[in-house]
Amino acid sequence: MKFADIGQQLRAYRMESGMRAEEIAARLGVSRAALYRYEKGEVIKLETIRRLAELLKVSPLSLLGIGIEYFARPAAFQERLRGLEEQADQILLVGGAYCWPITGEAMEGAVAEAWTQSIQAGPERAAAISQVEQGLGALTARKRLYAQKRPTMIAVLGEGALRAMLTEGVAGGLPIPEATRTRARIAAQQEAEAMAAVMESVPIGLQLGLATGPQPAAPFMVLRGRDRAHVVTSPIPADTPPSVAAGVAGITAAEEAVAVHQRVAEAMWRDSMKGAEAAARVREMVRASRG
């Protein structure tokens, strides 16, 4: 296990706990700077890992990347996902309406506006805005990382999920003004059009398919790096606000989990629409959403 990996998991679990870095450092008996050094991959003793796990209410094995990691806070999950993508050379995504690392500026802008507009006035507003900024930072970091690394990406998008996004718009279900909801729908349409263009052109290292038959109950990813592979199962879409409890994401490097998810993903890719046929279907859905 690399200390850098432990550091990434420690940062994600700290965010998941909702505790401030200062609080964890004080209870651990170290400086905040020392805690940040652990998160950046500095050597950390097993006893310190044990105490951190106790504070964060996770098992020491989870901090070591053994077993299954669980995340319920969207921002913490996105941060952990960023760490996994940083190590990945190949990414396979199944399900969902979009592939976040390749989304455009309109999508990101619509997410930021919807999240901000959904925050209610009151004494907790400042803290909520801080959460939004943190969540947006993790999403932006994922996109920047993909642009720098360009790992091989294969995504099988779900027709049902895409249709729902086109109907509701980005960040569907949030209580936002109608003007913001309209812009969220326009951003969803623009993103779908961009995905259709990718389906037609098939750029090197990026392939998109459209699953029109039975689809997974929740999206999942298989991320393969030089040393190991991980499976991420998640009912938490990237456009879920940091304050919303939308489900529990699971991450594991267990070989049997990787193998079975890989088999399902390969079968769904084989049976999915691709190329011009998939692009035509997506554009048809866009036209229908515009009425």
Side-chain angles (χ1 to χ4, degrees):
M1 189 66 191
K2 298 178 181 178
F3 287 107
D5 295 342
I6 296 175
Q8 289 175 350
Q9 283 152 206
L10 172 57
R11 174 174 167 77
Y13 274 122
R14 172 172 63 79
M15 294 171 66
E16 173 70 12
S17 73
M19 298 171 65
R20 293 181 295 110
E22 294 84 349
E23 182 181 356
I24 293 175
R27 294 175 65 177
L28 194 63
V30 301
S31 67
R32 183 176 65 174
L35 181 64
Y36 285 148
R37 288 198 298 271
Y38 293 152
E39 292 183 357
K40 290 181 178 178
E42 187 175 274
V43 174
I44 181 171
K45 296 179 180 179
L46 285 176
E47 174 60 20
T48 304
I49 290 175
R50 185 194 66 77
R51 292 175 61 199
L52 277 166
E54 184 176 320
L55 281 173
L56 298 173
K57 293 181 170 52
V58 299
S59 75
L61 293 179
S62 292
L63 279 180
L64 291 170
I66 302 171
I68 303 178
E69 306 169 44
Y70 295 106
F71 294 94
R73 292 178 182 265
F77 170 62
Q78 293 298 328
E79 173 61 29
R80 180 66 179 114
L81 194 51
R82 183 203 60 77
L84 292 176
E85 289 173 340
E86 186 175 18
Q87 303 167 28
D89 299 313
Q90 301 175 351
I91 300 175
L92 180 55
L93 167 67
V94 175
Y98 53 83
C99 182
W100 179 259
I102 67 169
T103 54
E105 291 182 4
M107 181 86 163
E108 191 169 355
V111 168
E113 181 179 353
W115 286 5
T116 304
Q117 289 294 325
S118 69
I119 299 173
Q120 302 298 313
E124 303 298 322
R125 180 173 172 80
I129 289 177
S130 178
Q131 277 190 318
V132 163
E133 291 173 349
Q134 185 180 52
L136 290 172
L139 293 180
T140 300
R142 287 184 60 198
K143 293 174 70 170
R144 187 184 305 119
L145 179 65
Y146 173 79
Q148 293 170 348
K149 283 198 63 178
R150 289 290 177 182
T152 300
M153 176 84 75
I154 299 176
V156 184
L157 304 175
E159 183 181 37
L162 180 54
R163 197 181 301 278
M165 184 179 77
L166 289 169
T167 300
E168 277 287 318
V170 175
L174 289 183
I176 55 179
E178 188 54 37
T180 299
R181 177 56 61 203
T182 297
R183 286 190 286 273
R185 291 191 181 98
I186 292 172
Q189 293 162 2
Q190 292 175 340
E191 190 57 42
E193 291 280 9
M195 290 189 293
V198 170
M199 290 169 173
E200 282 183 327
S201 62
V202 193
I204 296 174
L206 176 60
Q207 299 181 70
L208 299 183
L210 184 67
T212 57
Q215 297 167 42
F220 68 85
M221 300 172 69
V222 179
L223 302 99
R224 292 187 177 277
R226 182 176 303 176
D227 301 320
R228 65 198 310 202
H230 289 82
V231 167
V232 178
T233 54
S234 170
I236 307 176
D239 59 348
T240 302
S243 59
V244 173
V248 179
I251 300 172
T252 180
E255 291 184 5
E256 61 271 26
V258 172
V260 71
H261 283 82
Q262 182 78 28
R263 286 198 302 272
V264 171
E266 288 174 356
M268 293 199 66
W269 173 254
R270 183 187 62 241
D271 297 337
S272 68
M273 279 187 176
K274 307 174 189 70
E277 182 185 25
R281 176 67 71 91
V282 171
R283 290 188 176 119
E284 180 185 332
M285 287 192 288
V286 172
R287 286 192 297 271
S289 70
R290 288 172 176 158

